[in-house]
């Protein structure tokens, strides 16, 4: 019984990681175009933001800060927009100094 439960938990975790990886890859072009359309950032900046967003998503899930009925595409795009906006303002502040 214990082994079966452990195996089921492992399979659920494994399937979850595959789903997340597929969603990560599927959402990347949409995210890139969305940020590129709204901000003048290069590819590396956008990819850094994308990675940071996914780290923040994981942290928010672990800390219970995500609602059950979250619209994931909108959630991730909004987090990306917020991070890109912060980067834009930091760069503007550096130019004015």
């Amino acid at each position: 019984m214990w082994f079966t439960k452990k195996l089921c938990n492992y399979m659920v975790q494994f399937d979850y990681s595959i789903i997340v990886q597929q969603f990560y890859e599927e959402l990347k072009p949409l995210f890139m175009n969305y940020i590129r359309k709204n901000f003048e950032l290069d590819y590396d900046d956008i990819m850094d933001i994308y990675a940071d967003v996914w780290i923040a998503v994981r942290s928010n899930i672990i800390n219970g800060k995500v609602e059950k009925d979250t619209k994931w595409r909108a959630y991730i795009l909004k987090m990306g927009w917020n991070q890109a906006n912060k980067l834009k303002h930091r760069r503007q502040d550096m130019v004015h100094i």
Side-chain angles (χ1 to χ4, degrees):
M1 181 70 177
W2 173 83
F3 177 75
T4 305
K5 187 173 185 177
K6 186 87 167 166
L7 181 60
C8 288
N9 287 340
Y10 175 76
M11 289 174 62
V12 168
Q13 289 174 354
F14 180 75
D15 290 343
Y16 176 75
S17 68
I18 290 172
I19 291 168
V20 171
Q21 183 178 359
Q22 288 173 341
F23 188 58
Y24 177 91
E25 293 300 327
E26 176 187 314
L27 191 58
K28 191 186 300 182
L30 176 65
F31 186 92
M32 295 275 309
N33 290 332
Y34 177 71
I35 299 299
R36 190 178 294 139
K37 187 177 4 173
N38 290 289
F39 300 93
E40 294 180 18
L41 298 174
D42 63 24
Y43 176 83
D44 291 333
D45 288 332
I46 296 171
M47 290 311 298
D48 287 345
I49 291 169
Y50 194 59
D52 291 344
V53 164
W54 279 91
I55 291 168
V57 166
R58 183 177 187 278
S59 175
N60 289 347
I61 290 170
I62 289 170
N63 294 320
K65 296 181 179 178
V66 179
E67 309 250 341
K68 268 187 176 181
D69 60 346
T70 296
K71 307 288 188 239
W72 288 106
R73 278 189 176 90
Y75 183 79
I76 291 168
L77 291 175
K78 183 61 176 175
M79 287 180 74
W81 192 92
N82 289 340
Q83 288 192 20
N85 197 36
K86 285 179 189 176
L87 179 60
K88 175 185 152 189
H89 287 297
R90 272 185 286 179
R91 288 185 177 169
Q92 286 176 346
D93 290 345
M94 290 174 56
V95 170
H96 287 84
I97 293 178

